Amino acid sequence: MPASVFLSFHFERDSARALQISTAPGLAEACSFRGVITRLDRMALERQGSDRLRRWIDAEIGAANIAVILVGGGTWSSPSVHYAIQRCRAAGLPMIAVYIHRLADSHTGLRDSKGQNPLDLHYLTGSRPPVYLSQICRTFDWVTDQGE
């Protein structure tokens, strides 16, 4: 059975990059991807309110067995990414982060700036000193690690 991977990313900036990753040769056959939807579907969810978007994220996480946080220039500012990280933690879902800023957008051909890893902003509750998720979750770079 293929791995079920939830992709969390800044939708406006990185949806084309997320689509490229979810359809990459080898990965598309080995994994089923959750969290990747069309712009129209995303807009329809957002029109129904933030609670509806959160329920959709919850359902996508519930059907996954790992979460991949795709880190671009604006990922750290996305409320839905931070919500997804919190929900993954609550569900005990393993997470990794993958920098995608060097991956050219398939629509514009542009690359992004390297953003802050949103896992740097979340820590294990009760840890003293704080243990940030970025310290315990592996991080990769899509381009320099050749998509592996």
Side-chain angles (χ1 to χ4, degrees):
M1 178 179 212
S4 182
V5 180
F6 173 73
L7 295 179
S8 185
F9 53 94
H10 189 288
F11 188 79
E12 291 80 18
R13 289 178 76 146
D14 294 322
S15 58
R17 291 179 185 89
L19 183 61
Q20 284 177 263
I21 289 169
S22 69
T23 58
L27 279 182
E29 296 80 23
C31 304
S32 67
F33 287 94
R34 316 289 303 183
V36 182
I37 58 174
T38 67
R39 182 172 302 280
L40 289 175
D41 289 340
R42 175 71 181 228
M43 289 169 48
L45 282 173
E46 290 173 346
R47 278 194 302 274
Q48 296 174 44
S50 59
D51 286 343
R52 176 66 183 105
L53 179 59
R54 287 186 184 119
R55 284 194 308 273
W56 176 80
I57 291 170
D58 290 344
E60 295 293 288
I61 289 170
N65 49 32
I66 188 167
V68 177
I69 312 302
L70 300 178
V71 184
T75 308
W76 63 272
S77 68
S78 171
S80 63
V81 169
H82 291 288
Y83 177 78
I85 291 169
Q86 292 167 352
R87 299 306 299 156
C88 288
R89 285 189 58 213
L93 195 65
M95 289 181 276
I96 64 170
V98 178
Y99 281 101
I100 59 169
H101 63 288
R102 298 178 212 223
L103 180 62
D105 184 299
S106 60
H107 298 294
T108 65
L110 299 175
R111 290 173 172 75
D112 202 359
S113 57
K114 184 175 183 178
Q116 182 178 354
N117 184 342
L119 297 177
D120 289 340
L121 304 175
H122 296 267
Y123 57 90
L124 297 177
T125 306
S127 61
R128 301 214 190 273
V131 175
Y132 291 92
L133 295 184
S134 59
Q135 295 174 284
I136 58 174
C137 298
R138 294 193 62 188
T139 302
F140 302 91
D141 185 294
W142 181 261
V143 172
T144 59
D145 293 325
Q146 301 173 337
E148 298 175 358

